[in-house]
Amino acid sequence: MTAAARKDPAAVENEVREKIHLEILKRTGAYHANDHILLPSGQHTTEYIEKTLVTTEPSFTEGLGAVIAKHFAQWPVDMVLSTGPAALILSHCVARAHPSRPTVIYGTKGLSGGKRRVSLPVEFQRLVRTGTKILLVEDLVSTGSTLNLLINLVEQLGALVVGIGCLWRRTSVELDNVYSLVSRDFPTYDPDKCPLCAKGMPLNEEFVRRRHARRPSSVQEPKVP
Ligand SMILES: [Zn+2]
């Protein structure tokens, strides 16, 4: 066997690490696999992440935050910026474990004039100065649009984005200096083309039902992997 045909040891190590991270997410109850799941979009898939459950186990969150911090330990960081309140627990754990002892701030998301916007509370805007080194932290990166809006925002304030740390990144998303504990995409199917439906596998509607129970039906939920 030639060296090229052998698997790169770093790639193997990454694969093993990713499996461990997936197992941790599974143990929090956030990650569901090998199922036939109805998504809020109406499409079907085999895997699903329940975002809100990701950080329910403090020791797991601390462990995962430390892994992200270790990756970025080689770069000085003044501030960890959470993409929103949801990723704040993870951001805290990353900041706590980073040798630079960065502070933690968060952005807020909203709609304005029909367009998605992100902003920083004014108290935080005062903290971001020219040359402030910022590490962004997100839980799930699905399209990267929130991150790109936040990067533009802090760069306009003169800050430098050191990198992006996240729990899960859909592999279709291209971003600079991103480190994710899990990089994984899974296929979604239209119901009439779904191979699981074709096999007659029962459809799990649990995640959609729960959302409907919580919210008025007229509210459109953004698509989550
Ligand atoms: Zn199906």
Side-chain angles (χ1 to χ4, degrees):
M1 193 162 72
T2 64
R6 246 177 264 133
K7 248 190 158 173
D8 171 16
V12 173
E13 202 188 308
N14 271 346
E15 229 168 78
V16 170
R17 236 186 255 159
E18 198 158 294
K19 263 192 197 143
I20 294 169
H21 299 149
L22 265 182
E23 197 51 46
I24 291 172
L25 292 176
K26 211 181 266 177
R27 283 174 65 180
T28 64
Y31 174 57
H32 304 264
N34 307 317
D35 201 343
H36 180 199
I37 294 160
L38 175 66
L39 293 171
S41 62
Q43 291 200 302
H44 298 184
T45 186
T46 55
E47 298 176 46
Y48 189 71
I49 279 268
E50 288 190 280
K51 263 177 97 148
T52 40
L53 292 180
V54 162
T55 52
T56 46
E57 293 279 352
S59 57
F60 292 162
T61 316
E62 281 175 16
L64 295 172
V67 175
I68 295 174
K70 193 179 167 204
H71 175 83
F72 288 103
Q74 56 191 304
W75 293 285
V77 172
D78 300 312
M79 205 173 265
V80 170
L81 170 57
S82 168
T83 51
L88 195 49
I89 301 171
L90 177 66
S91 301
H92 171 96
C93 294
V94 173
R96 189 79 184 83
H98 195 281
S100 301
R101 301 268 162 174
T103 50
V104 183
I105 62 168
Y106 59 86
T108 52
K109 301 175 215 181
L111 283 172
S112 145
K115 279 180 84 179
R116 291 186 62 194
R117 305 261 161 164
V118 296
S119 54
L120 288 182
V122 279
E123 298 87 340
F124 295 155
Q125 282 183 31
R126 286 202 303 265
L127 299 176
V128 180
R129 302 201 174 90
T130 304
T132 300
K133 297 179 190 70
I134 293 184
L135 172 63
L136 270 102
V137 172
E138 172 69 300
D139 40 21
L140 307 184
V141 179
S142 182
T143 65
S145 60
T146 304
L147 283 167
N148 280 320
L149 287 170
L150 261 185
I151 290 168
N152 287 342
L153 181 72
V154 296
E155 283 182 349
Q156 274 168 22
L157 294 169
L160 306 165
V161 175
V162 173
I164 301 159
C166 60
L167 279 182
W168 188 300
R169 176 176 67 99
R170 299 193 86 167
T171 39
S172 48
V173 183
E174 290 290 334
L175 291 160
D176 286 340
N177 202 13
V178 57
Y179 174 76
S180 56
L181 297 178
V182 179
S183 301
R184 194 176 166 84
D185 227 338
F186 34 85
T188 53
Y189 307 104
D190 289 331
D192 54 341
K193 289 178 196 132
C194 175
L196 304 158
C197 282
K199 273 194 233 160
M201 192 172 169
L203 183 65
N204 181 353
E205 298 181 15
E206 184 189 356
F207 307 114
V208 172
R209 261 210 314 272
R210 265 198 237 157
R211 278 159 181 263
H212 284 171
R214 269 207 316 257
R215 309 174 66 105
S217 58
S218 61
V219 176
Q220 280 265 310
E221 189 74 24
K223 201 172 130 192
V224 176

